[in-house]
Amino acid sequence: MALGHKPASCAQGITFFQRARVVAISIIAVSNSSRREVAPAIAVSAGRACLLPARHAASLGMSAKEPARLQQRHRLRSKAKSASQGAKNIELPPASFIVAMAGAGALLGPILDGFHSRFGVLTYHNPAPFAVQVFNFELCQTAAWVPPMFGLAGMIIGTLYVVLDRLLQSPPESLAPSGTKVLLGIACFVLQYWPSGLLLGPGGVLLQGDMSGGVATWLLGGSQVLLWTLAVAHWRLFDNTRTGVIVSALTALGGPPIEIGILNFPGRDVYAYALPDILHIPAWIAAVYFCGEI
């Protein structure tokens, strides 16, 4: 037998004593130290992770910084595992939810868009618009393609909310708002949609006379600031989640280009804005999109 070569039984014995030493140090540290004094350190022995006081890490041949590094590595692995499990649990909402969101969009969208047509913000051209009446009250002016368009938007937005809520692990209380909160959110969205036509439409209160002066510029700019303030406040009061701000931002960024595509489609004259700013749309419409997705 060569000198310095230890038999297997001796190696196993050393391993046993190393484990015993780890356990003994852990027991002594926990029994003699307060929670404030014990700083966690990770010691790996025989493939097992043991939580030890930092002051005992050196006795196991670990550097002073090694426990913190191991802890950080453990936290990163835990986060990665949690994210992976969340991704595996992502699934589309049930068909009943998607149908309900489509119905809500198809019913509410034309009514809100009717505020814009009432104040002259936009006019429908081809196909010709028609009036929606409830008894003797004209609810709105709309066109045949408008309800399906808003219904499709409701389906997409509702599905995005469900998927992102699960992916980002939104707080449970945000997933089941009360009926009162939902109704108040809808009412506040109506109150944001209505001023956009009242303040910035040709038939509103600001654009009745000559709007070429400096005061008019300040009034129009202030109206746009008001719309964005209402939109952000709406998110803060009725949603206040990462999912909400992501979906709202995506809609505010994606909605106007879709309108630009429709308005500039060759050979089609579907509708038009009375006072466009760029590529046939008004710049303030993005604020309405942002608020509409909460």
Side-chain angles (χ1 to χ4, degrees):
M1 180 182 297
L3 292 177
H5 178 73
K6 296 180 181 180
S9 59
C10 181
Q12 292 173 356
I14 291 174
T15 303
F16 171 81
F17 283 117
Q18 286 178 342
R19 292 182 180 178
R21 185 183 181 186
V22 169
V23 174
I25 292 174
S26 302
I27 295 173
I28 293 171
V30 173
S31 61
N32 294 337
S33 303
S34 65
R35 289 183 180 178
R36 184 176 298 177
E37 293 173 346
V38 177
I42 305 293
V44 179
S45 176
R48 297 183 180 181
C50 302
L51 189 64
L52 298 178
R55 63 171 177 255
H56 295 297
S59 66
L60 299 175
M62 301 171 66
S63 65
K65 295 183 179 180
E66 192 170 357
R69 291 173 181 170
L70 290 171
Q71 272 191 302
Q72 184 179 10
R73 190 178 305 167
H74 178 70
R75 285 194 296 266
L76 292 175
R77 287 177 179 174
S78 298
K79 289 182 180 179
K81 183 177 180 181
S82 177
S84 177
Q85 290 176 346
K88 290 180 180 178
N89 293 331
I90 293 175
E91 56 185 29
L92 295 178
S96 58
F97 174 84
I98 296 176
V99 171
M101 291 301 299
L107 290 174
L108 186 60
I111 296 174
L112 297 178
D113 218 37
F115 291 139
H116 283 175
S117 60
R118 189 180 300 274
F119 288 112
V121 173
L122 58 80
T123 53
Y124 299 113
H125 294 165
N126 187 24
F130 59 89
V132 177
Q133 292 187 337
V134 178
F135 299 108
N136 294 326
F137 176 74
E138 183 178 302
L139 194 61
C140 64
Q141 287 275 341
T142 190
W145 59 271
V146 176
M149 181 69 72
F150 277 102
L152 178 61
M155 290 172 56
I156 296 173
I157 293 165
T159 301
L160 273 176
Y161 263 104
V162 172
V163 172
L164 289 178
D165 275 334
R166 292 172 180 171
L167 181 62
L168 300 177
Q169 299 179 358
S170 297
E173 59 271 15
S174 69
L175 303 180
S178 64
T180 301
K181 190 173 184 178
V182 172
L183 291 176
L184 284 174
I186 294 174
C188 287
F189 175 46
V190 172
L191 292 177
Q192 196 259 12
Y193 216 113
W194 179 71
S196 66
L198 179 68
L199 298 175
L200 299 169
V205 296
L206 294 182
L207 304 182
Q208 294 292 338
D210 183 15
M211 297 299 293
S212 59
V215 175
T217 302
W218 279 101
L219 287 174
L220 292 175
S223 298
Q224 297 192 41
V225 171
L226 174 63
L227 292 181
W228 276 109
T229 302
L230 291 174
V232 175
H234 193 264
W235 165 79
R236 179 66 178 84
L237 291 173
F238 298 103
D239 189 281
N240 198 30
T241 64
R242 289 181 297 170
T243 295
V245 75
I246 290 172
V247 175
S248 295
L250 288 175
T251 309
L253 293 172
I258 292 175
E259 288 206 61
I260 290 172
I262 296 174
L263 290 168
N264 293 276
F265 193 82
R268 303 294 297 178
D269 182 22
V270 181
Y271 69 106
Y273 283 100
L275 300 170
D277 295 316
I278 181 172
L279 296 176
H280 299 167
I281 66 168
W284 54 261
I285 198 67
V288 178
Y289 275 108
F290 187 96
C291 184
E293 312 322 318
I294 304 298

